[in-house]
Every structure is written in C-alpha cells, then in structure tokens.
Amino acid sequence: MGNSAGRSDFEWVYTDQPHTQRRKEMLAKYPAIKALMRPDPHLKWTVTGMVLAQLLACWLARGLAWRWLFFWAYAFGGCVNHSLTLAIHDISHNTAFGTSRAACNRWFAIFANLPIGLPYAASFKKYHVDHHRYLGGDGLDVDVPTRFEGWLFCTPARKLLWLVLQPFFYSLRPLCVHPKAVTRMELCNALVQLAADATIYALWGLKPMVYLLASSLLGLGLHPISGHFVAEHYMFLKGHETYSYYGPLNWITFNVGYHMEHHDFPSIPGCNLPLVRKIAPEYYDHLPQHHSWVKVLWDFVFDDSLGPFARVKRVCKLAENRL
C-alpha cells in the first residue's frame, strides 16, 4: 500500500457513487432492511446525559489547574464533544424523532451542540445532505479537502499539522468551496449557543468555557476518535472510496465506523447499522475495512500515497430539488 512519489491530484472518476445502486439491490433482495429505518429510541436520552455530563464537568473545571484542565479536556471532554458531533450527524438524518418531526430533530441538534461551545449543528445539516447526494462531487461535497490543502499538506510533518487543525479546515472549507446563504436555523443555533456560553461564563467564570472549547478543538484534532475523519473516505486502496471500521470505538461514536452501511442507508440510525451487515453480510464482509483508527492516522501521516489528495472526486450534475 503506497508509493514513494506521493500524490499531486485527486483520484478523478467518471462513474456514479456506488451506494445508490447497492441500496436498490439490497432493498430488492432484503426488504426487511426497511424496518430498520426508524428513529433510535435511546438517542435523545444518551445525548441528554452527555450534555449534562459536560455541564457537571464545567462546574468541576472551575477550580482545576490549567494543566489538568487541558488534560481532562483531551482525555474526557474531547471524547464527549467529538461524540456529540457524531450524535449531531445522526440527528441530521432525523434519527432522534423521525422524519415526520423534522423540526424536533433540528432543535434537538442545537441542544446537543451546547457543550461544543461554537454553533455547528445547523450548518452541518445544511452541508451534509450534499455529502450523501454528491459524494466526492467537485465543488459540492465539502468533506473533500481543497486543492490548496492537498498541495500544502504533503509531508509527514505537514500532514500531522493538518490533522491537528482538522476542526478549522472542516468549519472553514464550506465557506470557500460551496458558500450558501445563512439560514434562520443557523441564526437560532448561534443565538442559543451564545446565550449558553454567556450563562456558563457568568456563573462559573473563564475556565469552564476554556474547558469546553479545548474539548472540541483537541477532541476533533489529533485524537484517536478523529481517525474516523480519515478512515471513512480516504483512498487507502485504489477503487474504494468508502470504508467501514467495526472496532470498539463504535461504542462511543454512535456506530459511525459502519460507514459503508451508513452511506448505503443514511436514514437508518447508527444503532441499527450492525443489523444491516448482519442481514446482508455478502455485501460487506469482502470489502476492505479498517481495524484501528489510530493506525489509520499513523498510516495517513507516514505513507506517501496518502494525504489530502487521496480522495475520489467526480463531476456531479446538480439535482433540481436542492435542499
């Protein structure tokens, strides 16, 4: 796996994404999969518990020495906040309250956003639709790095820096690649977040706010859980653009590792994705898969064939019913 020359461009393909055809085939063969397209009854309670846990951690952080504050922000808060971004991902597919209660899902995502410290949920929803509809789409899928990132972050040291700065690239890239008008929900998200941050600061001072922001920036940067950013769609093997990971970190990430299954069936909540593989193992067991997110990060940094350019890209026609 890999070559010493490195990559100088994306892997351009002229075929449709594989997931659409797979979905049709699998539903025809296994109609029982449709029954898995229902809300996760536990999601709202799990997320509420995580938000309250971070609120308690804020209260405890008031008296911590700075070095311990950053230690706990990485070791505990980073795990919780990264996991909350993945809960927001699941909720963006209407898995908390179902498609018939879309507004409840949007507002619940804003609630899940509170410990992250910066408004994120509404913007994520707006762009994530395109990631599924136009996977690898040039100028449409903002999950794919920019040409500038591919050009600049091409050595092990620079790729390591890119992983550390991942939260900044994920938040700023959409504004460069595919800017969209600000929505009312994004304004609500920002106002609710600002009010929550101001309340925490007024009640408990600076340290809890630094703890929350450090949890987000460290947890979404160079962190074991962040291996999923690279594992999901970076081309570790030519011709394969989506990969699953079936290891234990799925337990704290709402099964985001079941990524091939997720793109095949975006409306199935994370809790049911293992059942998709169980029902139709012949569609998944033969595919390349990752066994460790930490190894994914290691390989990404030190393998010359991997880097921001190691992504499949395609030119997509815009669908008429844009969301």
Side-chain angles (χ1 to χ4, degrees):
M1 185 167 65
N3 60 61
S4 57
R7 298 186 65 92
S8 58
D9 197 2
F10 299 103
E11 182 80 7
W12 287 90
V13 299
Y14 302 94
T15 53
D16 288 337
Q17 60 161 299
H19 301 285
T20 314
Q21 185 57 34
R22 285 167 57 85
R23 186 180 308 128
K24 284 178 189 168
E25 273 181 38
M26 290 174 72
L27 284 174
K29 190 173 179 181
Y30 299 108
I33 289 175
K34 277 188 179 171
L36 302 177
M37 298 174 185
R38 58 178 188 264
D40 176 353
H42 306 296
L43 186 58
K44 55 185 173 289
W45 306 115
T46 305
V47 168
T48 300
M50 291 164 72
V51 171
L52 293 175
Q54 279 294 71
L55 202 58
L56 175 61
C58 280
W59 183 75
L60 294 171
R62 294 169 310 152
L64 279 181
W66 285 108
R67 64 181 182 278
W68 285 109
L69 184 143
F70 286 110
F71 169 80
W72 286 113
Y74 185 87
F76 177 75
C79 295
V80 178
N81 277 14
H82 197 136
S83 189
L84 280 169
T85 67
L86 297 172
I88 289 167
H89 164 252
D90 225 24
I91 297 161
S92 78
H93 292 286
N94 295 318
T95 57
F97 298 97
T99 48
S100 61
R101 298 171 69 192
C104 293
N105 289 289
R106 299 292 79 77
W107 282 105
F108 189 62
I110 288 173
F111 170 73
N113 193 150
L114 294 178
I116 293 165
L118 296 166
Y120 155 86
S123 303
F124 177 81
K125 163 69 178 172
K126 185 170 76 171
Y127 283 102
H128 190 64
V129 171
D130 290 342
H131 171 60
H132 280 272
R133 187 179 284 166
Y134 309 111
L135 182 63
D138 185 36
L140 294 169
D141 182 359
V142 297
D143 189 64
V144 179
T146 58
R147 192 170 288 279
F148 171 75
E149 290 168 76
W151 169 78
L152 184 62
F153 299 100
C154 56
T155 67
R158 292 183 191 182
K159 287 192 280 185
L160 190 67
L161 178 63
W162 185 78
L163 291 172
V164 170
L165 298 176
Q166 197 64 215
F168 297 100
F169 288 112
Y170 254 83
S171 53
L172 297 175
R173 192 185 297 138
L175 306 177
C176 304
V177 174
H178 191 201
K180 295 184 181 187
V182 175
T183 65
R184 206 179 88 192
M185 213 62 200
E186 283 178 295
L187 291 174
C188 292
N189 192 175
L191 289 171
V192 169
Q193 191 62 52
L194 194 64
D197 291 351
T199 304
I200 289 169
Y201 179 74
L203 289 175
W204 297 329
L206 180 65
K207 280 186 175 177
M209 273 316 303
V210 173
Y211 165 78
L212 289 180
L213 293 170
S215 295
S216 298
L217 296 176
L218 296 174
L220 293 162
L222 190 62
H223 193 282
I225 298 177
S226 292
H228 83 86
F229 285 131
V230 176
E232 290 164 1
H233 298 292
Y234 284 78
M235 200 175 61
F236 281 71
L237 278 176
K238 191 174 174 69
H240 293 273
E241 61 182 305
T242 308
Y243 301 78
S244 282
Y245 154 82
Y246 301 118
L249 287 177
N250 279 303
W251 301 341
I252 57 169
T253 57
F254 300 93
N255 283 335
V256 77
Y258 286 76
H259 215 68
M260 195 75 187
E261 293 84 345
H262 171 62
H263 272 265
D264 287 345
F265 301 101
S267 57
I268 294 180
C271 65
N272 286 341
L273 290 176
L275 295 173
V276 174
R277 187 187 178 207
K278 193 175 178 182
I279 289 169
E282 73 273 22
Y283 282 89
Y284 299 103
D285 288 354
H286 68 287
L287 295 173
Q289 57 187 250
H290 293 294
H291 301 286
S292 162
W293 280 342
V294 174
K295 187 178 187 304
V296 162
L297 294 173
W298 179 274
D299 289 344
F300 181 81
V301 170
F302 293 108
D303 187 331
D304 283 334
S305 73
L306 293 168
F309 271 140
R311 289 290 294 256
V312 168
K313 283 195 85 169
R314 50 175 59 85
V315 176
C316 294
K317 288 180 192 163
L318 276 177
E320 285 179 27
N321 59 331
R322 295 296 314 285
L323 290 185

